[in-house]
Amino acid sequence: MKNEKVLTLVEGAVMVALATVLSFIKIINLPWGGSITLLSMLPIVIFSLKRGIGHGLVASFVYSLIQFGQGCAEGIFGWGLTPVALVACIFIDYIFAFTVLGIAGIFRKHGTPGMIGGSVLAMTLRLVCHYTSGVLIFGSFGELWNGLTINEPWLYSLLYNGAYMLPEIVFTTVGVVILLSVPQAKKIIKCN
C-alpha cells in the first residue's frame, strides 16, 4: 500500500514536470496572443485517466500553480488589471483553467470511449474557463486576423480562446486515442 502511494506521487510529479516542459514547446504562437503547444495537456490527462479524479485534480492543481508562475514571468501583473480583476484572472485563467484537467478520468471506468470523453470534457472545461475570463474580466474586443474587428466581447473571447484551445483539444485527443490504441500503453494506463 505504501509503495503504491509513493508510485502515484512519483508518477504525478513526472507528469507535471513533463507537462511543464511541453508547455514551453510552442508549435504556433498566435499574433494576438495564445499559443498551440506540443501536447502540454496530455501528461496531466493521462495521469488522471490512470489514477482517477482525486489524484488528477491534485496533479493538475500543482500544474496550475506552475502555469501561474509562468504567467507571472510573462508579465501578468503588467496587464493593467484592477486588483479585483487580477485576482479573478489568477483564479479563472490559471487555477481553475488548469485544475479542471484533472477531471479527465471521470469516465475512465467506461473503457476507451469513456476515457476519450472524459479527456475532451476536461479540456473543454479549460476552454470555458478562458472564455469566461475573456468575457467577464477582460471584456475583450478588437482586431483579430488582419483587420477583422470584433466589438462583441463574447464573440471576441470565443474566437481568441478557440483559436488556440480547439487545436490543443484536437491534438491532445488524438494523442489520447493513439496511446489507448497501443496495447502496451493501454496496459500501463489501465484503470487502477
Side-chain angles (χ1 to χ4, degrees):
M1 184 68 143
K2 185 176 180 183
N3 289 340
E4 188 66 25
K5 289 180 182 179
V6 171
L7 179 61
T8 301
L9 182 63
V10 170
E11 283 178 357
V14 168
M15 292 305 212
V16 168
L18 182 56
T20 301
V21 169
L22 291 172
S23 74
F24 285 111
I25 303 172
K26 297 182 182 351
I27 305 301
I28 298 173
N29 262 332
L30 299 174
W32 53 83
S35 60
I36 300 168
T37 64
L38 182 62
L39 301 172
S40 63
M41 294 185 286
L42 185 60
I44 302 299
V45 167
I46 293 299
F47 180 73
S48 180
L49 292 175
K50 180 173 183 177
R51 294 295 179 176
I53 295 175
H55 294 295
L57 287 172
V58 171
S60 59
F61 175 72
V62 171
Y63 183 56
S64 77
L65 296 177
I66 292 169
Q67 289 300 305
F68 171 64
Q70 288 178 351
C72 290
E74 293 172 2
I76 184 176
F77 293 105
W79 291 352
L81 298 173
T82 66
V84 171
L86 180 62
V87 169
C89 176
I90 290 168
F91 278 96
I92 297 172
D93 265 333
Y94 290 97
I95 306 300
F96 297 155
F98 289 96
T99 300
V100 296
L101 294 175
I103 70 159
I106 191 167
F107 305 122
R108 71 193 187 113
K109 300 285 185 185
H110 297 283
T112 300
M115 291 186 196
I116 293 168
S119 300
V120 171
L121 174 64
M123 293 180 288
T124 301
L125 288 174
R126 178 180 166 201
L127 170 59
V128 168
C129 288
H130 293 305
Y131 170 78
T132 302
S133 172
V135 172
L136 298 179
I137 297 169
F138 293 99
S140 302
F141 59 90
E143 185 179 320
L144 288 175
W145 296 296
N146 300 325
L148 175 62
T149 301
I150 309 219
N151 295 319
E152 296 295 330
W154 62 270
L155 181 57
Y156 182 90
S157 184
L158 182 64
L159 294 173
Y160 176 97
N161 292 296
Y164 70 92
M165 279 303 302
L166 291 176
E168 287 266 0
I169 291 169
V170 169
F171 296 148
T172 304
T173 302
V174 169
V176 169
V177 169
I178 290 171
L179 284 174
L180 292 175
S181 68
V182 175
Q184 295 85 351
K186 189 173 184 175
K187 185 177 179 182
I188 292 170
I189 298 169
K190 74 178 186 320
C191 302
N192 294 344

